[in-house]
Amino acid sequence: DQQVKQNSPSLSVQEGRISILNCDYTNSMFDYFLWYKKYPAEGPTFLISISSIKDKNEDGRFTVFLNKSAKHLSLHIVPSQPGDSAVYFCAASPSYSGAGSYQLTFGKGTKLSVIP
Amino acid sequence: NAGVMQNPRHLVRRRGQEARLRCSPMKGHSHVYWYRQLPEEGLKFMVYLQKENIIDESGMPKERFSAEFPKEGPSILRIQQVVRGDSAAYFCASSPRQTGGPVEQYFGPGTRLTVT
């Protein structure tokens, strides 16, 4: 039972254009969301996060949008650069205290290729 | 400013042997998490520890797997009597003290375990 879904295994985008990566979740207890970027043979690198009290968070070229009613979030990268080519993971966490509170549930990832 | 450190980076074990994976959290971080990634999958939570305490081991297999985070030294994930299905990448993450809700977890480079 996949609670965090990234339905596009791969995405190709031209350099300079916008990359949009999507993520859906099913667990209504999730209210903190993160995006990680991962290069081969390395650990995931934290990119940006958003709490459910917000619908948008921006950090430089990266913006995350959250639609809580649709249980959907997306990561926008603009402009896309060749160095952005990596696997992007969406992750979610509930924010209550107690068992299970801080574990991240990950999607399977989307491989982004930015073509020069 | 060292990040999360894991060693070894690669570990080969024969079926039935023991595997010990080590993780040193980022400086100032007192919370450690272990995740496992199977090929073509997202990361799956295994266990969450603080110094000398297991907080949440709900993702850990009941047999052969154990984890500790002693007062001194790194966190250790121990797999006894390894089987081929244990072959995976094991990632450790750390975070600062949790107050008021979840925070970003920072990941190490991972240990790639191969069971022959």
Side-chain angles (χ1 to χ4, degrees), chain A residues 32 36 41 43 46 100 102-104, chain B residues 9 35 42 56 58 104-105 108:
Chain A
Y32 184 66
Y36 285 85
F46 170 73
Y102 301 123
Q103 55 177 272
L104 296 179
Chain B
R9 293 292 306 271
Y35 291 82
D56 180 358
S58 59
E104 302 87 75
Q105 297 175 17

Side-chain angles (χ1 to χ4, degrees), chain A residues 64-106:
Chain A
V64 56
F65 295 92
L66 175 62
N67 182 335
K68 206 174 173 192
S69 61
K71 293 193 176 69
H72 176 83
L73 62 154
S74 60
L75 174 68
H76 292 211
I77 306 172
V78 55
S80 301
Q81 299 172 354
D84 296 329
S85 298
V87 178
Y88 288 78
F89 289 98
C90 171
S93 168
S95 59
Y96 54 79
S97 59
S101 58
Y102 301 123
Q103 55 177 272
L104 296 179
T105 300
F106 282 82

Side-chain angles (χ1 to χ4, degrees), chain A residues 26-100:
Chain A
T26 57
N27 189 337
S28 56
M29 299 301 290
F30 289 151
D31 56 8
Y32 184 66
F33 304 91
L34 309 91
W35 284 93
Y36 285 85
K37 171 179 168 179
K38 186 179 180 303
Y39 293 118
E42 293 185 13
T45 302
F46 170 73
L47 273 177
I48 193 167
S49 63
I50 189 166
S51 152
S52 61
I53 60 172
K54 292 185 170 183
D55 54 18
K56 177 182 173 181
N57 189 23
E58 196 170 350
D59 183 1
R61 296 187 297 115
F62 301 92
T63 303
V64 56
F65 295 92
L66 175 62
N67 182 335
K68 206 174 173 192
S69 61
K71 293 193 176 69
H72 176 83
L73 62 154
S74 60
L75 174 68
H76 292 211
I77 306 172
V78 55
S80 301
Q81 299 172 354
D84 296 329
S85 298
V87 178
Y88 288 78
F89 289 98
C90 171
S93 168
S95 59
Y96 54 79
S97 59

Side-chain angles (χ1 to χ4, degrees), chain B residues 60-99:
Chain B
M60 193 100 97
K62 294 284 183 276
E63 296 176 353
R64 302 187 297 108
F65 285 72
S66 62
E68 62 176 9
F69 189 14
K71 190 176 178 182
E72 302 290 337
S75 175
I76 307 279
L77 178 68
R78 185 179 174 212
I79 312 171
Q80 295 178 288
Q81 298 172 353
V82 295
V83 301
R84 288 221 171 100
D86 297 333
S87 296
Y90 291 83
F91 292 97
C92 169
S94 72
S95 70
R97 186 164 172 260
Q98 308 269 13
T99 52

